[in-house]
Amino acid sequence: MIDRLQNIGRNFSEQLGRGANVPVIKATMLGPRAVGKTTIMASIFSQSCDAIAGTSLFFRPSGTLGGDLETKRLDLMNVINKQASFSDIPSPSVINATAEETVFEFEMGMVGRPQSLKIQIKDFPGEYIESHKETVNNFIAESQIIMLAIDTPFLMEQNGKYNDHKNKPRQILEFFTTHTASLKDKMLLLIPLKSERYFHDGRMKDVEQRVRTEYEELINYCRKNNILCAITPIQTLGGVELDKLVDNQDPLTQAFTPVVGSYRYFGRPPKYSPAFCVQPLYYLLIYMVAFYEWHKTHSNKKWYEKMLGSLYSLLNKDESLLLEIKKLRGKVITDNSLMSYKIVVPNTVLNI
């Protein structure tokens, strides 16, 4: 297994070197510490090979990221496969919280051809919107999409008693309102993670309504600034769900959260089965294409033209790539009552 992962890393490094000058699509990931943002990347990696079936596109990690995400995916699978005693079940975030910004870079293009573009997703630690405001803002300014991870158990349990402490919606709103120029006309995904219990209990509509209530001011902010806003829940592991919130006994993390999730297995046997994790990727790609087409009639947006000049050039020259990306529009979930996927604020860029 180790040899195979090393070979994956070497192959991706060689491919990356051949495509060093390709356009880059950027996305910003925000959310509280230890919510499981890195886990999303591992689950996207797990799902993406099959998920882009039906198109002629490939999507793969760059450099050594392939080996890193495979290792993390195996860690997540082991949470299920070992079926430890009840008290040993870790949080679905399982991967330690990052103390610094992390970049996840993927390659994309047409099967049988060199990569055409890169997708760069930067995960900022939750506290960065206070301690490194301009660093975060500068990357948002270059991004096409912002993904806001929400810890669903903290949103839902005990009537949301600890939501402000964990998910900090007011802090997010304050940051956005002081950096509006970087956010106008873009897309914001509100992504409730670890939503398995509420899906299994048939309560996803409750999750949607709680997001609408707790993030009402942020949603209104999006409406005023032509920011498309969608609620896109994710099942992080599938075979593990929340049992309850319990007092946090770890003195090193009590400052961040006074309670933590206690989890239990679901299913006989439980299986590693993340769901909907690839949807943010689809949203990113179709929004990028929509913005490309929208920009043709909004040529006064010089800042955006400068930022995406090489990408525009690529899409102008490579119609086959453009058409394949457009096919992903049929895979984007925009209105799903079972999972409560909803576009709560449309904008002038993407009409779906």
Side-chain angles (χ1 to χ4, degrees):
M1 174 62 72
I2 293 176
D3 290 341
R4 183 169 73 86
L5 296 180
Q6 289 175 339
N7 287 334
I8 290 174
R10 282 194 294 269
N11 290 337
F12 284 156
S13 295
E14 292 169 1
Q15 292 160 355
L16 178 63
R18 292 195 296 268
N21 297 317
V22 301
V24 180
I25 301 173
K26 295 183 179 181
T28 302
M29 176 79 75
L30 300 174
R33 173 184 284 261
V35 71
K37 291 173 287 180
T38 305
T39 305
I40 296 178
M41 298 297 106
S43 296
I44 287 176
F45 172 62
S46 177
Q47 287 193 297
S48 60
C49 293
D50 293 333
I52 303 188
T55 74
S56 297
L57 298 169
F58 67 76
F59 175 77
R60 62 197 181 204
S62 294
T64 60
L65 180 61
D68 293 342
L69 289 183
E70 175 67 5
T71 299
K72 289 179 172 67
R73 187 180 72 87
L74 293 174
D75 288 343
L76 293 169
M77 292 181 68
N78 285 336
V79 171
I80 308 292
N81 293 339
K82 71 178 183 179
Q83 295 190 41
S85 64
F86 182 88
S87 61
D88 291 335
I89 301 175
S91 163
S93 59
V94 76
I95 302 168
N96 292 334
T98 54
E100 56 188 21
E101 60 191 74
T102 304
V103 178
F104 300 91
E105 191 166 88
F106 299 86
E107 302 172 3
M108 191 166 183
M110 300 281 287
V111 174
R113 290 168 29 181
Q115 65 164 319
S116 297
L117 53 88
K118 297 176 186 176
I119 298 174
Q120 188 180 98
I121 303 172
K122 186 171 285 192
D123 167 18
F124 290 99
E127 58 270 22
Y128 262 44
I129 64 168
E130 281 293 321
S131 61
H132 296 70
K133 290 182 180 180
E134 290 313 305
T135 299
V136 177
N137 179 61
N138 290 340
F139 196 80
I140 286 177
E142 298 174 352
S143 298
Q144 287 74 56
I145 184 172
I146 299 90
M147 296 180 279
L148 179 60
I150 300 170
D151 195 312
T152 308
F154 284 80
L155 174 75
M156 297 295 293
E157 294 304 300
Q158 299 182 36
N159 201 31
K161 177 180 178 180
Y162 296 103
N163 184 60
D164 284 344
H165 188 92
K166 178 72 170 184
N167 289 312
K168 297 180 171 57
R170 295 173 187 172
Q171 187 182 71
I172 294 291
L173 176 63
E174 180 182 349
F175 175 83
F176 278 26
T177 54
T178 55
H179 297 90
T180 297
S182 300
L183 289 149
K184 275 183 175 290
D185 305 326
K186 296 185 178 179
M187 174 187 279
L188 171 67
L189 296 185
L190 304 177
I191 309 178
L193 306 181
K194 297 179 282 189
S195 63
E196 283 86 346
R197 175 175 177 176
Y198 312 97
F199 176 76
H200 298 152
D201 290 349
R203 297 179 55 204
M204 290 308 298
K205 189 66 180 177
D206 294 340
V207 173
E208 177 197 339
Q209 188 55 54
R210 185 63 64 83
V211 171
R212 287 177 180 269
T213 300
E214 295 293 328
Y215 292 85
E216 181 180 13
E217 291 184 73
L218 183 60
I219 291 170
N220 288 335
Y221 167 85
C222 291
R223 190 172 287 113
K224 293 175 184 177
N225 290 285
N226 198 41
I227 300 169
L228 189 148
C229 180
I231 301 173
T232 57
I234 282 176
Q235 294 181 41
T236 307
L237 293 183
V240 170
E241 66 175 18
L242 177 79
D243 180 47
K244 58 186 176 181
L245 295 181
V246 298
D247 290 340
N248 183 8
Q249 302 298 320
D250 182 357
L252 296 178
T253 60
Q254 283 176 347
F256 294 102
T257 177
V259 294
V260 294
S262 173
Y263 292 83
R264 64 194 179 201
Y265 292 116
F266 176 86
R268 298 183 179 180
K271 296 179 180 179
Y272 173 65
S273 52
F276 305 100
C277 296
V278 78
Q279 282 296 313
L281 170 66
Y282 292 164
Y283 270 90
L284 169 61
L285 291 169
I286 66 163
Y287 200 73
M288 176 268 296
V289 168
F291 217 140
Y292 159 72
E293 295 180 331
W294 178 78
H295 182 267
K296 292 177 181 177
T297 57
H298 295 74
S299 57
N300 60 318
K301 298 284 185 179
K302 297 298 182 183
W303 62 272
Y304 199 84
E305 184 172 316
K306 179 179 179 181
M307 180 175 70
L308 283 185
S310 60
L311 178 60
Y312 285 156
S313 178
L314 168 67
L315 296 178
N316 275 322
K317 294 176 182 177
D318 196 339
E319 185 176 353
S320 60
L321 176 66
L322 180 61
L323 291 175
E324 288 301 308
I325 294 176
K326 284 183 175 181
K327 287 182 181 179
L328 295 176
R329 189 159 177 165
K331 293 179 177 288
V332 172
I333 302 172
T334 59
D335 189 1
N336 181 299
S337 57
L338 184 65
M339 274 301 289
S340 284
Y341 266 62
K342 295 288 182 182
I343 292 182
V344 291
V345 178
N347 73 354
T348 59
V349 178
L350 183 62
N351 182 22
I352 54 177

